[in-house]
């Protein structure tokens, strides 16, 4: 299967999607902070939401609507205020946001999803949002400004779009995301939005999104904190005029590949842009006894504060890798484990190998550090991504006050 | 029940215990690094060991002996080398250490326990250990030097001893511990050793130690990494000549109180002495639906990198506390939760309260910061301890190389 990456592509790359963004004044900086993304026709919708028991009002509303309708016309997102811990008024505000967006694009409020990110515990400035929605101009070329409008403390906006052929039709999958920057106190949230012009049967879309999330956003760790607002939503509007894709077909597999590409790309972008990060860490665990073990082991290594600090210092500290594998909860036999940093073998079948320190340090000096472990207990594999732990992380999170 | 804290007390405060320590040259610094603690008569023994699947040789050996014999005459401990990932030779070295200590004190090797802490993946310098054991002089006043000999990168040695009356007999419980300093690359381990002159029925001693561990060492977090060598051992030699204490009696309850005091004191000392730490954080969760929920919730808060950084910066960031409660896995209803920092209420029944920022900051400025949450879902309670996250943690773990 050939897949083209669309340079500069994003959430409006697929057919039939429009976006618009404005600086509504929710962020104090005057930057873009409110956007709408709309499909020109009803789309099948699926979503994956935070597992945190403390959930923001827009998370509950969007999840309810997706569960009930399995379809949507678009979504409205603001940054600068998470609308979390805001009680009944927060729920009413989230609903009003969907009414405003619905009126703007000529849809029913029930067809609109909503997400918010930013400060917790402060009510939304609804007057600014009402005024902002009025100012929004929708266009098929505004995916980039929408990606900027959902940023909080991200240093870079995060977009991706790919194109594939499925059963003779050209299918585009595009998306945007923002990182789990809890830089400023009470800031939260990973948000990601994917749009496609493929026609997709609703239950397969939900299944495909869950699988994509499990291999992308659920495999990244910046600091181990799961926010109150995490949201991943996909819309599939059928503008590509393919036969609706159902589970278990070659078409389903092709679509999954494209969706995985977009979500993994966005997830890695979030890890790379972690607070204070200077390096992306990619940890692959092979030979695990089960898929769950592989995932646990990869995540334990990439989440270890000690390993993250060692990567920062370019220290080929295999002891911290082995130690994290050991406490991951996965079945691990230290006498059979292989560990590599880059292509330098540090441990093979549990034996510590002599290695050239300068070569190993060089493998950790660049902006991407690859760590591999083979547990030799089965055939399951998983990859996780994270970032190094730097003094700047502490500075950002310790020194900026409410 | 009255309990006296013995000033300067430690692992030889109870009757019938001797200790001795030397600088055997295992540590490059020339500091004390090898010690023996011995009971003048056989003692009932219990132990709790690391859950990490990657385990050092001495951990396996000590656990086997405790499981099989439930008694011991003493233990030998070295710092500077963890004897972990050292294969069959590592096991042979651990056994030899117990033979050396056994010969020294006139016991069987099978009656000696062993622990090591320090560099992973390097064989023990057995010649130095043999010579060191020869030099050791045992005395009833050497608990303090033993506590120094088990330190790796700890800044302070950690000791505690208390005295209580049980059924007309004076019972002493004393102990020493070292922190989970993984400061130098490949360094590991929390070690703690408790001695008492009480006579205690073996199965109750194991049960009491497990309970003590669950309320002390298992409730502290420095950086979330569980080492390959974690060991907690208690010896009870009966020199106090009490009737052996069995479970479910008032005597058992008194002994548990004394044991908890010693283990909690040592655990807090480890948290306070965490790498780069400037503050001890104590998190108490009340009103949880179950004991397990209370423990999960307290540990999630005290382990949150974001909260740890906020404490460092004296930032009364209730959002990070609520967020950590939410993802802890405990049942949490954000609309009923109370949160306090020190005695400043930040949230009551889920309502964010206006608070005086200067007062709240002042509660976080000292060397001990108290955080309380009431979940109002039950009556279970738990307390966890940790330390703040500072630039120095990153510096220590990122910049010092193998």
């Amino acid at each position: 299967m050939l897949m083209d990456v669309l340079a500069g592509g994003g959430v409006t790359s697929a057919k039939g999607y429009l976006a618009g963004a404005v600086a509504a004044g929710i962020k104090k900086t005057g930057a873009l902070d409110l956007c709408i993304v709309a499909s020109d026709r009803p789309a099948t919708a699926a979503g994956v939401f935070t597992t945190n028991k403390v959930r923001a009002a827009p998370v509950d509303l969007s999840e309810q609507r997706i569960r009930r309708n399995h379809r949507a016309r678009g979504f409205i997102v603001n940054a600068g205020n998470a609308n979390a811990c805001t009680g009944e008024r927060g729920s009413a505000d989230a609903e009003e946001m969907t009414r405003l967006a619905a009126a703007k694009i000529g849809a029913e409020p029930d067809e609109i999803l909503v997400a918010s990110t930013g400060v917790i515990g402060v009510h939304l400035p609804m007057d600014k949002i009402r005024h902002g929605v009025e100012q929004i101009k929708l266009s098929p070329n505004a995916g980039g400004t929408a990606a900027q409008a959902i940023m909080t403390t991200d240093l870079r906006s995060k977009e991706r779009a790919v194109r594939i052929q499925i059963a003779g039709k050209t299918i585009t999958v595009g998306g945007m995301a923002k990182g789990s920057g809890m830089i400023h106190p009470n800031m939260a949230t990973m948000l990601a939005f994917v749009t496609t012009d493929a026609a997709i049967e609703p239950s397969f879309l939900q299944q495909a999104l869950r699988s994509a999330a499990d291999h992308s956003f659920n495999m990244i760790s910046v600091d181990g904190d799961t926010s109150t607002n995490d949201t991943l939503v996909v819309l599939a509007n059928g503008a590509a005029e393919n036969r609706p894709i159902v589970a278990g077909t070659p078409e389903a597999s092709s679509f999954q590949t494209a969706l995985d590409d977009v979500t993994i790309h966005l997830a890695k972008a979030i890890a790379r842009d972690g607070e204070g990060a200077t390096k992306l860490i990619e940890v692959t665990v092979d030979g695990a006894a089960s898929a769950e073990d592989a995932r646990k082991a990869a995540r334990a290594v990439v989440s270890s504060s000690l390993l993250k600090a060692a990567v920062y210092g370019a220290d080929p500290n295999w002891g911290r890798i082995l130690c994290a594998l050991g406490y991951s909860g996965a079945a691990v036999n230290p006498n059979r484990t292989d560990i590599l940093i880059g292509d330098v073998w540090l441990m093979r079948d549990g034996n510590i190998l002599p290695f050239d320190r300068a070569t190993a340090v060089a493998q950790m000096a660049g902006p991407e550090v690859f760590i591999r472990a083979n547990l030799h207990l089965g055939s399951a594999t998983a990859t996780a991504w994270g970032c190094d732990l730097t003094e700047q992380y502490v500075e950002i999170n310790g020194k900026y006050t409410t």
Side-chain angles (χ1 to χ4, degrees), chain A:
Chain A
M1 188 189 72
L2 287 172
M3 183 159 64
D4 293 322
V5 175
L6 306 184
V11 80
T12 52
S13 293
K15 270 189 236 166
Y17 290 96
L18 306 169
V22 289
I26 311 166
K27 289 181 186 167
K28 286 174 191 159
T29 57
L32 294 171
D33 55 14
L34 183 65
C35 72
I36 293 174
V37 174
S39 168
D40 62 9
R41 68 203 80 186
T44 300
V48 174
F49 301 90
T50 184
T51 55
N52 197 311
K53 294 200 176 73
V54 180
R55 295 174 119 214
V59 175
D60 282 336
L61 185 62
S62 294
E63 186 171 36
Q64 281 160 21
R65 288 185 175 172
I66 285 181
R67 286 216 178 142
R68 196 169 51 221
N69 308 329
H70 303 294
R71 50 199 299 116
R73 275 289 305 281
F75 44 85
I76 177 168
V77 188
N78 76 277
N81 184 317
N83 194 12
C85 302
T86 44
E88 287 177 22
R89 182 168 148 200
S91 303
D93 289 347
E95 292 211 33
E96 182 177 352
M97 281 179 72
T98 67
R99 283 200 301 278
L100 295 167
K104 183 90 189 175
I105 69 168
E108 293 300 313
D110 203 37
E111 295 177 302
I112 304 294
L113 307 173
V114 55
S116 299
T117 175
V119 182
I120 296 179
V122 177
H123 292 297
L124 283 172
M126 287 306 295
D127 48 343
K128 290 178 179 171
I129 289 177
R130 283 174 211 119
H131 186 69
V133 171
E134 278 173 28
Q135 307 295 111
I136 286 178
K137 289 181 184 37
L138 295 163
S139 107
N141 306 312
T145 57
Q148 285 170 40
I150 65 173
M151 290 166 65
T152 48
T153 50
D154 304 67
L155 299 178
R156 289 176 286 273
S157 67
K158 298 163 183 72
E159 297 180 87
R160 177 77 162 183
V162 298
R163 189 158 284 166
I164 51 171
Q165 301 295 319
I166 294 186
K169 302 289 182 183
T170 300
I171 301 284
T172 301
V173 180
M176 63 181 185
K178 71 164 293 281
S180 59
M182 293 183 79
I183 290 185
H184 291 297
N186 297 336
M187 288 284 186
T189 304
M190 191 285 298
L191 298 182
F193 305 94
V194 178
T195 55
T196 178
D197 43 25
I200 303 183
E201 185 270 327
S203 70
F204 171 61
L205 187 63
Q206 182 66 41
Q207 170 192 327
L209 188 70
R210 162 62 58 192
S211 171
D214 281 346
H215 292 90
S216 58
F217 300 109
N218 286 341
M219 293 304 282
I220 58 173
S221 172
V222 172
D223 53 19
D225 281 60
T226 304
S227 104
T228 50
N229 288 51
D230 293 346
T231 295
L232 165 62
V233 161
V234 60
L235 300 185
N237 71 2
E241 303 190 333
N242 59 305
R243 273 232 313 257
I245 298 173
V246 296
T249 59
E251 292 75 21
S253 161
S254 296
F255 174 73
Q256 185 78 59
T257 303
L259 181 62
D260 285 350
D261 175 276
V262 169
T263 52
I264 287 174
H265 181 93
L266 294 173
K268 285 172 70 173
I270 289 172
R272 198 189 307 270
D273 198 17
E275 292 170 1
T278 67
K279 298 173 190 176
L280 176 74
I281 308 175
E282 178 171 306
V283 176
T284 298
V285 172
D286 293 309
S290 69
E292 187 50 29
D293 271 14
R295 294 163 53 77
K296 275 185 196 163
R299 280 196 301 210
V301 174
V302 92
S303 304
S304 158
S305 291
L306 286 167
L307 187 271
K308 287 154 67 84
V311 168
Y312 173 52
D315 178 16
N317 193 318
W318 57 267
R320 293 182 185 174
I321 299 169
L322 184 65
C323 181
L325 293 170
Y327 67 68
S328 66
V332 172
N333 179 344
N335 299 321
R336 297 175 66 181
T337 303
D338 301 339
I339 294 176
L340 295 91
I341 294 181
D343 44 29
V344 176
W345 285 83
L346 303 182
M347 177 173 269
R348 177 172 243 152
D349 280 337
N351 296 307
I352 300 150
L353 303 180
F355 64 91
D356 180 53
R357 181 168 167 77
T359 311
V361 168
Q363 302 271 351
M364 303 180 78
E368 302 200 339
V369 175
F370 298 91
I371 294 170
R372 281 183 292 160
N374 195 321
L375 304 180
H376 291 299
L377 296 174
S379 58
T381 182
T383 300
W385 297 272
C387 58
D388 54 343
L389 175 63
T390 70
E391 291 97 342
Q392 221 198 324
Y393 174 88
V394 178
E395 225 166 89
I396 290 166
N397 284 296
K399 296 267 174 84
Y400 287 55
T401 51
T402 16

